[in-house]
DNA sequence: TATTGTTATACTCTATAACTATA
DNA sequence: TATAGTTATAGAGTATAACAATA
């Protein structure tokens, strides 16, 4: 059996030596979630950049696509945890590129609905396919069963903490 | 048995409805790693802020502490994945607060060693204790065995991908 | 010539709050 | 008065590259 170490294992060993009184075992989980996230984010960004999208732009377009309906800027910034001002700026950029449109609301004239244009829909459908293929590729180091187990454990933590 | 949903489960359902042709199962893993990371980061930041440290400042002080020896700015920015300029700025801030010092290197006069001051050492020891206690608290939703399993699965992925 | 580390510059992204229009 | 959304401002953080000193 091969006993390979990862970066967090090294860090745990260093703490063990310098502060043997501390039980740093939770770093084995939390540190690895952080490090995995960082590496995963880099790989996800590779695909976004191929289509000249930032991570947030992808999230906006993907939200509109998977919800299957137009949503207000307020719903968008609350869902994606951005300020209203930041969302306005992001939507502006997508409007300028012809990927989304703002439609006046018929029931509340203060409000508007952000919708995908034909070009935006075609783009996000293409990007999501590349995105999902990329994600499949990223998980090849784990068996289907391990992936399911990992998802299940993270879900249990999230149900208790989100 | 309780079947609670998390946020990612909702998103998976939306994709299933809008794009039933796509196998989005990897989102169950990658999406949850990202979401868990975000929630964990917020909770970790609570402790850092209590001691008026940013996440990066904590990382610098903790690196010095667990390595148990002085390191060069170059080692620091490579380990923490920052640019050299950004590290200079961060170290400056910690020097101004009396938490670290720059010592001239005796073997290479271009270089220096960053060391914890007495105050810096006392501070990081206190913060790390609060940090580890915080991390223990954050994982209470999982049993010891589940935590170990989660760490093991993430480690397997990291060994193959980092 | 190459490398270490600092400094100066410019850029990206953001939150905040002021603001307009409407409810 | 409160809310939806935009705009203007200012701040945090960064990378980049120019720079000085040394290898």
């Amino acid at each position: 059996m091969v006993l390979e170490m990862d970066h967090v294992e090294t860090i745990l060993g260093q703490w063990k030596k310098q502060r043997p009184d501390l039980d740093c075992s939770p770093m084995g989980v939390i540190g690895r979630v952080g490090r995995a996230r960082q590496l995963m984010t880099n790989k996800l960004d590779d695909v976004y950049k191929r289509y000249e999208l930032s991570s947030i732009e992808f999230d906006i377009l993907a939200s509109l696509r998977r919800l299957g309906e137009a949503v207000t800027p307020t719903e968008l910034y609350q869902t994606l945890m951005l300020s209203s001002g930041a969302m306005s700026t992001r939507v502006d950029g997508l409007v300028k590129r012809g990927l989304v449109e703002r439609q006046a609301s018929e029931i509340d004239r203060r409000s508007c609905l952000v919708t995908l244009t034909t070009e935006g829909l075609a783009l996000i459908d293409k990007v999501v396919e590349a995105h999902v293929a990329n994600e499949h590729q990223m998980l090849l180091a784990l068996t289907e069963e391990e992936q399911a187990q990992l998802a299940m454990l993270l879900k249990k933590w999230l149900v208790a903490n989100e």
Side-chain angles (χ1 to χ4, degrees), chain A residues 34-79:
Chain A
R35 190 151 175 93
R37 168 62 178 171
Q38 185 154 27
L39 294 166
M40 288 172 173
T41 297
N42 290 343
K43 297 191 192 211
L44 296 179
D45 283 344
D46 290 342
V47 169
Y48 304 154
K49 278 175 194 153
R50 208 183 303 155
Y51 296 92
E52 295 182 344
L53 292 174
S54 70
S55 164
I56 289 175
E57 287 169 334
F58 172 83
D59 284 342
I60 295 173
L61 297 178
S63 294
L64 294 171
R65 180 65 181 91
R66 71 165 195 270
L67 291 170
E69 58 182 15
V71 295
T72 62
T74 299
E75 288 171 300
L76 279 177
Y77 78 69
Q78 286 173 351
T79 303

Side-chain angles (χ1 to χ4, degrees), chain A residues 7-146:
Chain A
H7 188 242
V8 169
E9 197 72 40
T10 304
I11 289 175
L12 285 172
Q14 291 167 341
W15 279 122
K16 191 79 189 168
K17 187 176 173 194
Q18 299 295 329
R19 289 293 306 265
D21 58 311
L22 289 180
D23 171 17
C24 292
S25 59
M27 288 186 195
V29 176
I30 295 169
R32 285 188 176 99
V33 168
R35 190 151 175 93
R37 168 62 178 171
Q38 185 154 27
L39 294 166
M40 288 172 173
T41 297
N42 290 343
K43 297 191 192 211
L44 296 179
D45 283 344
D46 290 342
V47 169
Y48 304 154
K49 278 175 194 153
R50 208 183 303 155
Y51 296 92
E52 295 182 344
L53 292 174
S54 70
S55 164
I56 289 175
E57 287 169 334
F58 172 83
D59 284 342
I60 295 173
L61 297 178
S63 294
L64 294 171
R65 180 65 181 91
R66 71 165 195 270
L67 291 170
E69 58 182 15
V71 295
T72 62
T74 299
E75 288 171 300
L76 279 177
Y77 78 69
Q78 286 173 351
T79 303
L80 300 179
M81 294 194 278
L82 275 184
S83 66
S84 59
M87 184 54 69
S88 278
T89 307
R90 294 297 119 204
V91 171
D92 277 351
L94 293 172
V95 168
K96 270 179 198 148
R97 292 165 61 182
L99 300 174
V100 305
E101 282 173 347
R102 288 185 175 95
Q103 294 181 347
S105 165
E106 296 178 358
I107 44 175
D108 184 341
R109 284 199 294 175
R110 294 170 304 182
S111 186
C112 66
L113 289 172
V114 181
T115 63
L116 287 168
T117 62
T118 306
E119 293 76 19
L121 177 61
L123 178 67
I124 190 59
D125 267 338
K126 233 185 348 184
V127 182
V128 164
E129 284 166 27
H131 172 74
V132 170
N134 188 30
E135 289 196 328
H136 274 287
Q137 194 71 27
M138 285 166 58
L139 294 182
L140 289 181
L142 302 180
T143 66
E144 294 279 329
E145 194 187 337
E146 287 169 335

